[in-house]
């Protein structure tokens, strides 16, 4: 998966001017990111770098239907789910969307995707990809990640108690205009990944 992630990061490096315009206009363009990923995944499949991909994938687990942004099957026949989030945090138009806005317990944020992945048991690997623009200050980013990693101490997030996040990308590898945070999501109960 590291090779795929490197290719995604390289691809978006050439789209940096878009992040600047998105920040200046304080907009969340999640559909744009999904469209760009569709183009990249199609190219990767056409060139045999991945076996298959699908978007807006429906899966059932414990009688419930879940929808995931992307499913990628790599050449080793491992299916991986990826949820995408667009985090516009520049507040150039005085919107309330700072970094913590996206880490609230609501239907739109990162916590909702974590809860979905907790319930969705029939997938080998699960990832969340955050397109954060501009690149957040390191201390604020680390504070948000610490909050995610401390769920077992927070009573209201009992369902995320076994959460284990592996942050794969380093915030320092990106410039001031954006950060692609790629996180592997696992839950440590009953051997589940």
């Amino acid at each position: 998966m590291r090779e795929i992630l490197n290719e995604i990061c390289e691809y978006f490096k050439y789209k940096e001017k878009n992040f600047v315009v998105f920040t200046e206009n304080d907009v969340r363009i999640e559909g744009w990111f999904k469209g760009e990923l569709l183009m990249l995944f199609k190219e990767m499949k056409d060139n045999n770098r991945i076996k298959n991909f699908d978007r807006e994938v429906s899966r059932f687990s414990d009688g419930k239907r879940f929808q995931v942004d992307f499913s990628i099957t790599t050449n080793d026949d491992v299916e991986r789910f990826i949820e995408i989030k667009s985090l516009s945090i520049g507040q150039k138009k005085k919107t309330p969307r700072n970094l913590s806005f996206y880490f609230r317990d609501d239907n739109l944020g990162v916590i909702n995707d974590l809860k979905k992945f907790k319930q969705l048991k029939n997938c080998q690997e699960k990832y969340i990809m955050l397109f954060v623009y501009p690149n957040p200050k390191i201390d604020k980013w680390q504070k948000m990640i610490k909050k995610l990693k401390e769920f077992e101490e927070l009573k209201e997030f009992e369902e995320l108690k076994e959460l284990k996040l592996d942050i794969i990308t380093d915030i320092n590898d990106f410039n001031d205009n954006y950060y692609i945070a790629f996180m592997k999501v696992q839950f440590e109960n009953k051997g589940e990944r």
Side-chain angles (χ1 to χ4, degrees):
M1 191 63 185
R2 175 51 94 168
E3 292 168 1
I4 292 170
L5 175 59
N6 289 342
E7 194 161 343
I8 291 169
C9 290
E10 189 67 23
Y11 179 84
F12 280 100
K13 186 187 297 183
Y14 296 101
K15 309 284 182 179
E16 182 180 347
K17 66 181 180 183
N18 294 318
F19 290 99
V20 173
V21 172
F22 298 161
T23 296
E24 287 172 356
N25 290 283
D26 201 0
V27 293
R28 292 180 62 228
I29 310 290
E30 195 162 301
W32 179 84
F33 292 106
K34 289 181 181 180
E36 291 293 331
L37 286 169
L38 277 172
M39 299 301 291
L40 177 59
F41 293 155
K42 180 180 180 338
E43 178 186 318
M44 292 172 78
K45 181 182 176 190
D46 290 349
N47 293 311
N48 298 314
R49 293 192 307 274
I50 61 174
K51 189 171 189 174
N52 203 5
F53 73 95
D54 201 0
R55 59 168 282 288
E56 302 301 328
V57 178
S58 290
R59 291 291 191 272
F60 290 86
S61 184
D62 296 331
K64 296 179 186 175
R65 182 176 81 80
F66 297 92
Q67 197 159 338
V68 180
D69 290 329
F70 285 100
S71 166
I72 295 177
T73 304
T74 49
N75 291 328
D76 57 1
D77 287 320
V78 175
E79 182 180 38
R80 294 165 168 97
F81 286 167
I82 302 174
E83 275 294 312
I84 307 295
K85 285 285 179 260
S86 167
L87 282 63
S88 175
I89 62 169
Q91 297 182 301
K92 297 288 186 179
K93 302 287 184 182
K94 306 210 184 313
T95 62
R97 296 185 310 254
N98 58 15
L99 192 59
S100 63
F101 176 87
Y102 298 98
F103 289 86
R104 300 181 310 183
D105 188 19
D106 60 19
N107 290 334
L108 302 174
V110 175
I111 294 172
N112 188 54
D113 288 337
L114 294 171
K115 288 179 179 179
K116 178 194 309 185
F117 278 163
K118 169 71 175 178
Q119 295 177 6
L120 191 58
K121 296 176 175 71
N122 54 354
C123 178
Q124 292 175 298
E125 292 186 16
K126 305 165 194 171
Y127 297 88
I128 294 179
M129 184 183 304
L130 306 176
F131 291 94
V132 189
Y133 49 97
N135 193 337
K137 302 276 188 235
I138 292 175
D139 60 332
K140 290 183 179 182
W141 176 252
Q142 289 173 338
K143 181 180 176 183
M144 287 299 111
I145 296 308
K146 183 178 180 199
K147 179 180 173 183
L148 289 178
K149 290 185 174 191
E150 292 177 346
F151 275 129
E152 59 254 24
E153 299 171 14
L154 302 172
K155 199 171 199 168
E156 66 265 26
F157 295 111
E158 187 70 26
E159 69 240 83
L160 297 179
K161 195 170 186 170
E162 298 88 9
L163 174 66
K164 181 178 181 285
L165 279 181
D166 181 15
I167 314 298
I168 298 171
T169 51
D170 185 343
I171 194 169
N172 295 307
D173 291 340
F174 294 82
N175 65 32
D176 290 343
N177 294 321
Y178 72 104
Y179 172 41
I180 302 174
F182 199 71
M183 302 182 277
K184 184 174 185 179
V185 178
Q186 300 176 73
F187 293 91
E188 295 184 324
N189 61 336
K190 301 177 187 172
E192 180 186 341
R193 294 203 266 171

